[in-house]
Amino acid sequence: MELARVKEEIGQLGEKPFRAVQIYEWLHKKLCGSFDEMTNISRSLREKCKESFSLCTLHAVECLESEEDGTCKFLFRLPDGNVIESVLMRYRHGNSVCISSQVGCRMGCRFCASTLSGLVRNLMPSEMLEQVYQIQKITGERVSNIVVMGMGEPFDNYDNLVTFLRMVSDGNGLNISGRNVTVSTCGITPRIRQFAEEGFTANLALSLHAPKDADREGLMPVARMYPLAQVMEALDDYYKITKRRLTFEYSLIAGVNDSAGQAGELARLVKGKNCLVNLIPVNEVRERDFKRSDPRNIQNFKNILEKNGINVTIRREMGSDINAACGQLRKSYMDGR
Ligand code: SAH
């Protein structure tokens, strides 16, 4: 519940609005997990709260820390028994948490492990928040950046995503501004447009993976519904409104999307935009036969983009020793049961 809603609910219990602020801060600033910890709230109000509301808590089933770079991958059990993944990445500029937005996914991208068993359900805003809160509690470290790039398609769970983002940026909670949040989408055009109008200047990343519709459709079924011309136009509008630099994610798959010709096409597609192309050597998933491009090819692809004046990075691989790619840890957990 957002603060305004907590105020309404608390008002209905016959209490003053400042009590709602206190409760909200206990939950979202002090990250307490039970009403009993709220020591400046009267015992009778705490009892009433316990009767009327339930607090969402995630249980960490597994925490894996990479020996290579300190990246931590968490497997959380939700109150209904489903499991989801979140990742903590430690950078010099601060800690970033990659959260899941759905249990499973229905977008069907061919290279992705999160979509192999389809969509189970959407995550509630509380379940998205709890991923960040639990990670702060477990590590004792502050999180300053959030990326919605874990399992699921955030724009397929739009309303809950927006509520989550409003709560994350609330001064009575984590107070993380849109500038420190990135939402990654496979390209659901109407939602990109709607998101631009929310007044929330988050960074947007588009999972591109191929510069032409025909190739993209082979990798991402969603491309059949939203052709690139439409997606690009929506992104241009998003930029006009928010002025936030766009990111294009491009996972390199040997022999599929890594040719010099495709690098040239990609350069033409994004030229003139304030953007960054993030090249990701594809993480090989057991159920799929895609292979990652070899390092020379990746470098060559990068050089072609750079020669065309495009900002490009090769994603620093973090946590590859701990199954840190989309959906891999959950998949191995489910298979082992
Ligand atoms: N549904 C959203 C966010 C989740 S995926 C989206 O599509 O953007 C986060 C990123 O990882 C996406 O760019 C996705 O295409 C990419 N990805 C998924 N599986 C991958 C794999 N096996 N190797 C490399 N990148 C992968």
Side-chain angles (χ1 to χ4, degrees), residues 27-28 31 129-138 174:
L27 293 174
H28 302 285
L31 311 188
L129 287 166
E130 258 287 286
Q131 297 173 59
V132 183
Y133 297 172
Q134 282 296 331
I135 289 176
Q136 290 204 153
K137 282 207 233 179
I138 293 169
L174 288 184

Side-chain angles (χ1 to χ4, degrees), residues 105 111-113 148-150 152-154 184-186 205 207 209 220 249 251 280-285 325-326:
C105 183
F111 42 80
C112 180
V148 190
M149 264 190 208
E153 166 53 41
S184 176
T185 178
C186 59
S207 297
H209 307 316
M220 307 174 71
E249 295 160 280
S251 298
I280 313 162
V282 79
N283 285 294
E284 291 167 18
V285 174
C326 274

Side-chain angles (χ1 to χ4, degrees), residues 8 19 24 82 144 188 197-198 202 221 294 298 303:
E8 265 171 43
R19 291 286 173 211
Y24 194 91
N82 278 301
S144 52
I188 302 180
E197 304 293 341
E198 296 289 349
D294 72 65
I298 296 175
N303 291 345

Side-chain angles (χ1 to χ4, degrees), residues 11-210:
Q12 277 170 18
L13 293 177
E15 299 280 344
K16 300 225 160 63
F18 81 93
R19 291 286 173 211
V21 177
Q22 287 178 320
I23 293 175
Y24 194 91
E25 287 190 347
W26 276 111
L27 293 174
H28 302 285
K29 212 172 218 163
K30 299 177 194 147
L31 311 188
C32 86
S34 71
F35 288 111
D36 286 327
E37 292 167 55
M38 303 181 180
T39 46
N40 59 357
I41 308 285
S42 70
R43 185 177 302 260
S44 70
L45 177 54
R46 277 187 257 156
E47 291 307 320
K48 276 193 254 176
C49 285
K50 278 195 249 176
E51 280 164 30
S52 313
F53 312 110
S54 63
L55 299 178
C56 158
T57 334
L58 302 192
H59 175 73
V61 196
E62 250 185 281
C63 307
L64 300 174
E65 180 158 3
S66 165
E67 289 176 9
E68 295 165 8
D69 51 37
T71 296
C72 289
K73 181 130 190 180
F74 299 85
L75 194 67
F76 287 118
R77 190 180 325 112
L78 303 171
D80 68 355
N82 278 301
V83 291
I84 51 165
E85 303 177 354
S86 325
V87 186
L88 166 70
M89 289 158 291
R90 295 180 166 109
Y91 296 104
R92 253 162 297 164
H93 63 262
N95 285 342
S96 184
V97 166
C98 173
I99 67 147
S100 293
S101 55
Q102 296 180 312
V103 182
C105 183
R106 60 179 180 147
M107 296 296 127
C109 297
R110 300 267 183 268
F111 42 80
C112 180
S114 297
T115 201
L116 286 167
S117 342
L119 175 67
V120 178
R121 69 169 176 87
N122 284 329
L123 291 183
M124 302 290 290
S126 54
E127 293 167 324
M128 294 188 240
L129 287 166
E130 258 287 286
Q131 297 173 59
V132 183
Y133 297 172
Q134 282 296 331
I135 289 176
Q136 290 204 153
K137 282 207 233 179
I138 293 169
T139 61
E141 294 172 35
R142 198 185 125 70
V143 170
S144 52
N145 287 266
I146 293 177
V147 294
V148 190
M149 264 190 208
M151 292 171 40
E153 166 53 41
F155 284 169
D156 192 35
N157 183 17
Y158 187 83
D159 292 344
N160 288 339
L161 172 81
V162 168
T163 302
F164 161 73
L165 293 177
R166 279 205 295 259
M167 292 178 76
V168 150
S169 61
D170 191 320
N172 296 299
L174 288 184
N175 200 11
I176 296 178
S177 89
R179 291 171 172 270
N180 295 319
V181 172
T182 301
V183 176
S184 176
T185 178
C186 59
I188 302 180
T189 311
R191 296 302 191 200
I192 295 174
R193 294 192 174 285
Q194 194 177 347
F195 196 55
E197 304 293 341
E198 296 289 349
F200 190 87
T201 48
N203 305 293
L204 204 57
L206 176 78
S207 297
L208 186 57
H209 307 316

